[in-house]
Each structure stands twice: as structure tokens, then as C-alpha cells.
Amino acid sequence: ALFICASTATVFASDSSLQPIEKLGKKIFFDEHLSINRNQSCATCHVPEVGWAGDDSKINAHGAVYEGSIIGEFGNRKPPSSAYATLAPLFYADFGNRLLGDDDMDLAHDPLFVGGNFWDGRATGWELGNPAADQAQGPFLNPVEQALPDMACVVYRVCEGKYGKLFDQVWSPNACAIAWPSKHEINEACRTPIDGKVPLSDMDRKKVDAAYDRIALSIAAFEASSESNAFTSKIDAHRAGFYEFTEQEKLGRDIFRGKGLCSACHVGTPGPGAAPPLFTDFTFDNLGVPRNPENPASIADPTWRDPGLGAFLETVSGYYSYAASNKGKHKVPTLRNVGLGSCEALDYSEDSDQGHDKGHGKGKGKGGKCITKAYMHNGFFKSLKSVVHFYNTRDVKPVCENLPVKVKKWTEKAALKHDCWPKAEVAQNVNTDELGNLGLTEEEEEALVAFMMAMSDGYMESDKHDDDGKGKNKHDD
């Protein structure tokens, strides 16, 4: 298939282009019945139109943490984008990467951790050979997410659901050959939070374990499909010779590669086999991001601070001794789709001169409306411009808490109003080498944002070949 420009709407691959295992994974991904109250799916927090992240402006504008299937239950982090997550390597400790320019002795004492999924890397890929598949198994059973009490509940609802035959078709005729208890008995168990347990024989429990793995692998297959990992941004169009950057985007690209130091972590070089860049090196970093005082976890416990990677390392045999030097570090996300669906993105689009009302303008979010997006692991920032401004001035502006003003909670809005930045959520291990005092002008900050806005999918769409093999451009109609 060729690629053509899509002028208005985000375009994703149609079901007809998906392989059977990808179709199966998609059905599972969007199935709200796979939660204790049948009201939440993977797609609830990973919405395609806004870059496979959360699409609720009201939530994003405040705590940025989404409520689970059970009313009143919340996690403690913003949902990361599920797009391009399948390309992360298995979690590992790099003890000797000379390409980084580090001394081998230093690396031996303080390795660089790479890969995995979730903000803290705990979906390592060690179980199923795929971090995205390991990650997919978590939310179904998490009490503050989909909250099903037993993996057998997930398997039962998949096998007995509308696409159970597809599951058998993909995996084997006997994939769902499990001797289930009565419908009443299993439904009672699956509506009992935490303690619900489906009574099964040892043999059938092993079958459930295998089916649960296959469910996760199916989700990962969908997440690896062209519908999720689309590579249809302006960046991709430019690499293919179909798009010429604006002067502002060119300036932003130069800053991204140069004085902005962005490419130190958000690597923009082609991947293996000249694959498109992913704009991440899959490492972990503490950027000094302030605590989000509206995070439900922070409200419940004002002393709580997100330990990030460090807390996960404490649970891993052999890595425990590295926990302290990794407290406060979170995964470096891909920048792809970073602005997709946001009202802010309209200010950098070709038709930005038409104007729009924030939160209600024509965009690519829910119902065709643009949304407020949240950034960083805790959603403290509400715009990409604020993120860039923080990177540029973190160590230049005064610390908010030191100012002689009375502020109940230091949100992004309050910080911008008083021209300061709150102290880091976790003071240890803050990166002071690659951000904090970049010396960028406002024009350069804007240019950097414009370049990152060009990383959103949906600029191009795939099109079937015409009989002459040349494809068709929508603008020719």
C-alpha cells in the first residue's frame, strides 16, 4: 500500500488489514466486559484518537489518574500510551555499554536499566518474552483497574463471549476446552472483589493459566499492529519525501538535536534495519517533575512520593542494591503521538489561523473534539509547551515553596502564575546534566513544541493500489 495525506481525521488501519491474532487482540482490548463491573476495557484509558492515552479532559486537567471499574478506586499514575510499547526490549541492566561514553568501572557499580513496560519497568517481558504481553496481564486483575479477582474470570468471559470461536481459531480448537463450574457459581465468584476464586480442577487451572497467557499475547499482537504502531506522522511523511517541514518545525528539529538536548534520551536516529525512529531510548530518568497535589494517591497520603523504578528494583533479586540510585526514575516514553488530539496541537496545525475555543475546537479527540492532555508519569503538566518550558527553566526559576506567598497546592497553573517551579517529587537522582537551564528563547521553545507536534500519527493513511499501481490521493477528489 502507498501512503496518502489525510487532511482532517486521524486514520488507523481497518480490521481487514489485521491478522486473525491482531483482530482477536483488538476485540479483547475494547471489551468492557473484561472488568468486574463490565464497564472498563483497555481502551478506556488507551484511546486511539488521542494517542492511545486517556481522553477525559476533566481528569487530565487535575489528578490525571483514571478511576477503575469499581467506583472510588484509583491507581497512582497517569495511563501511559500503549502505542509503540511493543517495541521496548526486555528489561535488562546495562553494565558495559561503551557507546554511552561511560567508564566500565562506573557502569559496573551503577548500571543503566533499559526496557520493559509500565512507568516503572515492572512489565519486564521475562514471563512471556514480550514486555507488552506482560503488561497486558496486569490491569485485568489490578483491584484499582479492571479489578477481576481471578484470571479464570477473564478467560471465561473471553471463551464464552462473542469472539470465543475466534480465540479457538487463533490458538487451537481446544484453547477454551475448560470444564467450568455453573454459570451462577462463576458469576458469583467473578463479582466478588479480590477474594473471588473460581473453583477449578488442577488440570483446568493449568488450562486457564495457558489461556490467560494467550490473551495477553493476543493483546500484544494488536498493539504491535499497524493500527497501533502506525508510523503515519509528518515525521514519517518527511522521511518518505512526502512532506516538507515548516520553518518553525525545522528550527525545532535543530533544537531537538542540538541545544535542547532532547535527542539524548528521545533518540531520533533510525532503528534497526532503517526502521522509523521511536524517539525513546527505553531508559529511565528522574527529571525533577513536581508532585501532582491532585493525584488521588497524594490526596490520600500527602507524604507519598512515587518511587518509580527504584521500588521495582527492590523486588528483584540481584537488583536490590541499585534501588536507591534509581528512586524517582520513570520510563522515558516515546514522543510519538505526544500532542495527538490535544487542543494545544491546533495552535501548531496548518489551519490554526481559523481559531478555536479551548476544549471545544475541532480536533482528533473524543467525538471529534480536542482535549486537554496530561504529561509525565503523574500528569503534573497540562501542555507540551509547559513541559518544554520546565525543561528549559527548571533550575533558573525560584522554587515555589520558597516564595513568600500562600498557595494551598502547587499545581502547574499556580506555578506558572507565580513564575516558579515546585520542588521535585523525589529529590534523589534528579537529572541535572540534560535539562534545567537550556537557555532557550520563547521562540525556540515554541519551535521545539511545533516539531514534536509533527510526531502525531494520522497525517498519512494507507491506501490500496489502483489498477495502475499508483495509488490515490484524497486531495485529487
Side-chain angles (χ1 to χ4, degrees), residues 425-443:
E425 179 177 23
V426 176
Q428 305 147 270
N429 312 310
V430 173
N431 185 339
T432 56
D433 297 327
E434 295 164 328
L435 71 156
N437 184 9
L438 300 178
L440 303 180
T441 65
E442 185 173 357
E443 179 188 11

Side-chain angles (χ1 to χ4, degrees), residues 420-461:
C420 60
W421 291 120
K423 59 187 178 182
E425 179 177 23
V426 176
Q428 305 147 270
N429 312 310
V430 173
N431 185 339
T432 56
D433 297 327
E434 295 164 328
L435 71 156
N437 184 9
L438 300 178
L440 303 180
T441 65
E442 185 173 357
E443 179 188 11
E444 289 172 326
E445 285 187 3
E446 292 280 359
L448 192 50
V449 174
F451 178 64
M452 288 189 283
M453 290 296 182
M455 298 176 183
S456 293
D457 285 330
Y459 179 75
M460 299 186 293
E461 66 177 67

Side-chain angles (χ1 to χ4, degrees), residues 7-28:
S7 59
T8 56
T10 305
V11 181
F12 302 101
S14 64
D15 279 2
S16 62
S17 68
L18 299 178
Q19 298 299 313
I21 189 173
E22 296 169 347
K23 290 182 181 179
L24 173 62
K26 181 177 181 178
K27 290 181 180 296
I28 297 170

Side-chain angles (χ1 to χ4, degrees), residues 13 61 68 88 100 118 145 160 177 193 208 261 289 338 350 372 375 414 430 476:
L100 296 176
F118 287 126
E145 294 186 74
E160 300 300 311
V208 163
L261 303 179
V289 174
V338 69
E350 290 89 343
T372 296
Y375 296 94
V430 173
D476 293 338

Side-chain angles (χ1 to χ4, degrees), residues 78-327:
K78 179 187 80 74
S81 171
S82 61
Y84 302 101
T86 56
L87 300 171
L90 271 65
F91 185 85
Y92 69 97
D94 187 340
F95 285 89
N97 192 339
R98 295 179 180 83
L99 295 177
L100 296 176
D102 292 320
D103 182 85
D104 285 350
M105 290 300 295
D106 290 337
L107 283 170
H109 286 93
D110 195 7
L112 185 72
F113 288 94
V114 185
N117 266 326
F118 287 126
W119 284 108
D120 59 7
R122 70 185 187 278
T124 59
W126 298 342
E127 294 296 323
L128 298 176
N130 183 330
D134 280 14
Q135 183 277 330
Q137 291 192 325
F140 291 126
L141 307 181
N142 190 327
V144 298
E145 294 186 74
Q146 286 159 276
L148 285 166
D150 186 345
M151 66 177 67
C153 300
V154 184
V155 175
Y156 176 77
R157 292 184 183 185
V158 168
C159 288
E160 300 300 311
K162 295 181 179 179
Y163 50 89
K165 290 183 179 179
L166 178 58
F167 189 81
D168 282 339
Q169 175 190 333
V170 169
W171 288 107
S172 84
N174 299 316
C176 285
I178 297 167
W180 298 107
S182 69
K183 185 175 182 180
H184 171 76
E185 195 171 10
I186 195 169
N187 284 340
E188 281 299 309
C190 293
R191 66 166 61 102
T192 305
I194 301 177
D195 296 326
K197 193 73 174 178
V198 178
L200 293 168
S201 68
D202 290 344
M203 182 176 66
D204 284 315
R205 178 58 64 176
K206 289 180 180 178
K207 291 180 179 179
V208 163
D209 291 345
Y212 194 65
D213 288 347
R214 289 168 171 174
I215 287 171
L217 290 166
S218 300
I219 294 173
F222 168 63
E223 291 178 333
S225 73
S226 59
E227 185 163 341
S228 178
N229 300 348
F231 294 106
T232 56
S233 69
K234 289 179 179 178
I235 297 283
D236 302 297
H238 177 78
R239 293 180 74 246
F242 299 146
Y243 177 74
E244 182 63 32
F245 288 129
T246 66
E247 291 303 313
Q248 187 181 44
E249 290 166 347
K250 288 179 182 177
L251 175 59
R253 177 185 57 182
D254 292 341
I255 296 167
F256 188 92
R257 295 173 174 176
K259 64 189 293 187
L261 303 179
C262 308
S263 59
C265 297
H266 298 284
V267 183
T269 54
L278 294 175
F279 300 105
T280 177
D281 61 1
F282 301 107
T283 61
F284 298 80
D285 213 341
N286 181 356
L287 306 172
V289 174
R291 167 180 170 271
N292 185 347
E294 297 181 312
N295 184 329
S298 295
I299 294 172
D301 179 6
T303 67
W304 180 79
R305 300 293 184 271
D306 192 334
L309 174 63
F312 167 58
L313 296 180
E314 288 180 341
T315 69
V316 182
S317 176
Y319 288 165
Y320 180 86
S321 60
Y322 308 119
S325 59
N326 286 279
K327 285 285 177 67

